[in-house]
């Protein structure tokens, strides 16, 4: 343990965020990290608890609590405090393939379970993680380390999101020859085309992919397995296949007028903006324009928030974000105690920006859309919204959100972004491999974890667990790699 009294002596200090009105003028990350010395004091706040929930990654109360990767949080917090940055990196890299991603986009399940958070502010573990990995990159500690011996076994990984990348890194380290196939023009899955630049600059992704290439992993882009590449060919060509295609089936809003122009799924909108940004710094205009438009975002979650922040950067005239459920409380309630994940209302960066620009929170709770109205050219112009109230279903006892009669209202909407969640895997890929699905259309792995119903075909990430988080995708990729390695070699040391 670093400093026994650290948590009493030092307050939590976070990196400085650029003011909302200033940062909306660009698509770059907008946090200035603390100085090394200040970050070390944040490490000193860790109490190295006897039972550190922060690194335990368990399901408590139906939600994950603590780091799913079991990052050795108290160990490296201590090494941060003592300024042992190099050792801190080696301990961090032991469990986390990509700390540069998680330390930017993870919701920090570790911090929600930190004992310091019981009576005050949790240890700034996520920013300590970022300081360690950025120190390691800037001091040349993160190097390509190709395997000394090759096994001669081959593995194809379909999908280059965090799950596919983590599996690739682990299997290549073991000496297997790994090829990652990606249908998009660039590698990274939702890290590339989903999570906006403001949260994760794409150079961060590129520097990691370059290292992985130097380590011998082959990346093939524009390779749509199940369409341009046949599943049978992959199974013949490779000893094992891992399906890590994500949960990219968006939930639709099926109401009258849905066919109008100007209504997009959130990921299609966000990925078009990022692609245009990467291809031409937005000059090619190949994305749905939000300039001067009344933007309606349907879905109050994180993806919806990314749409709010992106629309504002593109010059939206107004932004409204609809959420079906009631507003969460500002503080934990009694039935949601520590170390459960706190079900509290948070105001994310996009919403902060909307408040700064338009003077109010863009979120409207307990509300949904019942109709879209278009002009004579078929372009969406308005949406009819209705208020909802929770009512218990008499038969099932479950809570349902029921429309309130007479509460309908028409609002302006000339760009609509649907961020209403995802419904599992895409049929054309699962059909191509004939893998069994579970009730939620995720790929099932019944007997052996991560092994599908089809011999030699494994699965990982959102495609397996359903829409989730980057940290879970990395964990799934690592675990699937273990299962593949064991099936190839009879044992695994991963
Ligand atoms: C807008 C948005 C923002 C998010 N923000 C966060 C965040 O801030 N923090 C966080 O922790 N999580 C976030 N998430 C969730 C997180 O991105 C996902 O949980 C994670 O990326 C899942 O990783 P994955 O590797 O399983 O799948 P994905 O990242 O979805 O990658 C799957 C890849 O497979 C490719 N693919 C699919 N089918 C084929 C095929 N047939 N052939 C070849 N390639 C194929 C896809 O093109 C894609 O590149 C966000 C999600 C979205 C949509
Ligand atoms: S990966 Fe996420 S949960 Fe794990 S230590 Fe880092 S920020 Fe915390």
């Amino acid at each position: 343990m670093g400093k026994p009294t650290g948590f009493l002596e030092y307050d939590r200090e976070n990196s400085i965020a650029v003011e909302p009105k200033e940062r909306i003028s660009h698509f770059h990350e907008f946090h200035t990290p603390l100085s090394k010395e200040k970050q070390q004091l944040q490490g000193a706040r860790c109490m190295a608890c006897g039972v550190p929930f922060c690194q335990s990654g368990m399901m408590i109360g139906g939600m994950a609590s603590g780091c799913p990767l079991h990052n050795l949080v108290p160990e490296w917090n201590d090494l941060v405090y003592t300024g042992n940055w190099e050792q801190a990196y080696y301990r961090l890299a032991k469990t986390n393939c990509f700390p540069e991603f998680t330390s930017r986009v993870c919701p920090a399940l570790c911090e929600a379970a930190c004992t310091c958070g019981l009576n005050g502010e949790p240890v700034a573990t996520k920013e300590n993680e970022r300081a360690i990995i950025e120190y390691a990159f800037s001091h040349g500690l993160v190097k390509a380390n190709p395997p000394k011996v090759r096994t001669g076994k081959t593995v194809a990984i379909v999908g280059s999101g965090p799950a596919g990348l983590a599996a690739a890194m682990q299997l290549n380290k073991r000496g297997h020859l790994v090829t990652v196939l990606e249908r998009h023009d660039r590698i990274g899955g939702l890290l590339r085309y989903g999570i906006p630049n403001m949260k994760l600059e794409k150079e961060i992704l590129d520097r990691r992919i370059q290292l992985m290439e130097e380590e011998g992993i082959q990346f093939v882009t524009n390779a749509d397995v199940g369409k341009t590449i046949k599943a049978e060919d992959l199974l013949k060509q490779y000893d094992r296949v891992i399906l890590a295609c994500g949960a990219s089936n968006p939930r639709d809003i099926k109401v009258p007028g849905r066919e109008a122009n100007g209504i997009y799924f959130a990921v299609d909108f966000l990925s078009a903006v990022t692609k245009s940004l990467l291809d031409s710094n937005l000059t090619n205009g190949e994305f749905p324009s939000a300039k001067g438009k009344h933007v309606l975002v349907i879905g109050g979650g994180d993806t919806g928030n990314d749409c709010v922040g992106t629309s504002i950067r593109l010059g939206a005239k107004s932004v409204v974000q609809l959420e079906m459920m009631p507003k969460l409380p500002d503080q934990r309630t009694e039935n949601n105690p520590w170390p459960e994940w706190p079900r509290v209302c948070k105001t994310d960066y996009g919403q902060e920006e909307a408040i700064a620009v338009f003077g109010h929170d863009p979120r409207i709770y307990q509300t949904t859309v019942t109709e879209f109205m278009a002009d004579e050219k078929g372009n969406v112009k308005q949406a009819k919204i209705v208020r909802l109230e929770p009512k218990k279903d008499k038969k099932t006892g479950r809570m349902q959100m029921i429309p309130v009669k007479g509460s309908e209202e028409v609002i302006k909407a000339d760009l609509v972004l649907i961020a209403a969640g995802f419904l599992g895997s895409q049929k054309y890929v699962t059909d191509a491999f004939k893998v069994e699905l579970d009730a939620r259309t995720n790929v099932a792995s019944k007997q052996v974890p991560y092994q599908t119903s089809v011999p030699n075909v494994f699965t990982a990430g959102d495609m397996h667990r359903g829409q989730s988080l980057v940290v879970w995708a990395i964990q799934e990729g690592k675990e699937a790699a273990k299962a593949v390695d064991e099936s190839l070699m009879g044992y695994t040391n991963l």
Side-chain angles (χ1 to χ4, degrees), residues 352-425:
E352 275 177 5
E353 291 160 2
I355 292 167
V357 175
F358 305 117
H360 57 87
D361 196 313
R363 287 169 288 190
I364 303 180
Y365 294 93
Q366 293 185 231
T367 304
T368 193
V369 169
T370 55
E371 190 179 346
F372 297 112
M373 283 87 93
D375 63 11
E376 61 287 355
K377 289 184 187 148
N379 299 322
V380 68
K381 285 288 155 202
Q382 292 173 319
K384 191 182 278 181
I385 59 173
V386 66
R387 222 183 123 64
L388 304 168
E389 66 178 8
K391 269 207 179 127
K392 240 187 200 163
D393 184 276
K394 279 185 190 145
K395 274 189 201 148
T396 63
R398 294 178 98 186
M399 203 59 89
Q400 287 185 322
M401 297 304 288
I402 309 290
V404 179
K405 271 196 191 135
S407 68
E408 291 85 359
E409 180 186 346
V410 172
I411 60 168
K412 287 180 187 168
D414 34 23
L415 174 64
V416 176
L417 304 171
I418 301 175
F422 297 86
L423 294 170
S425 55

Side-chain angles (χ1 to χ4, degrees), residues 54 66-71 73 76 92 96 102-103 106-111 125-126 129 471:
C54 59
C67 180
L69 289 164
H70 307 299
N71 276 349
V73 171
W76 43 257
L92 174 57
N96 193 348
T102 48
S103 65
C106 188
L109 309 175
C110 53
E111 292 185 18
T125 296
K126 181 173 160 179
E129 181 176 324
V471 65

Side-chain angles (χ1 to χ4, degrees), residues 104-107 157-165 181-184 186-191 193-196 199 223-227 244-248 266-267 270 302-304 306 422 426 428-429 460-464 466-474:
R104 286 175 165 80
V105 304
C106 188
I157 298 177
V158 187
S160 69
L165 292 179
L181 301 133
E182 169 56 55
R183 66 183 172 191
H184 277 304
R186 289 181 173 93
I187 296 296
L190 288 170
L191 296 170
Y193 291 134
I195 299 178
K199 286 192 339 202
D224 199 342
V225 177
K227 285 188 183 161
C245 302
S248 37
V267 171
L270 294 170
D302 295 345
T303 302
D306 288 334
F422 297 86
Q426 284 190 310
Y428 78 93
V429 204
D462 280 6
M463 190 178 201
H464 177 229
Q467 182 198 8
S468 187
L469 295 171
V470 169
V471 65
W472 277 114
I474 297 173

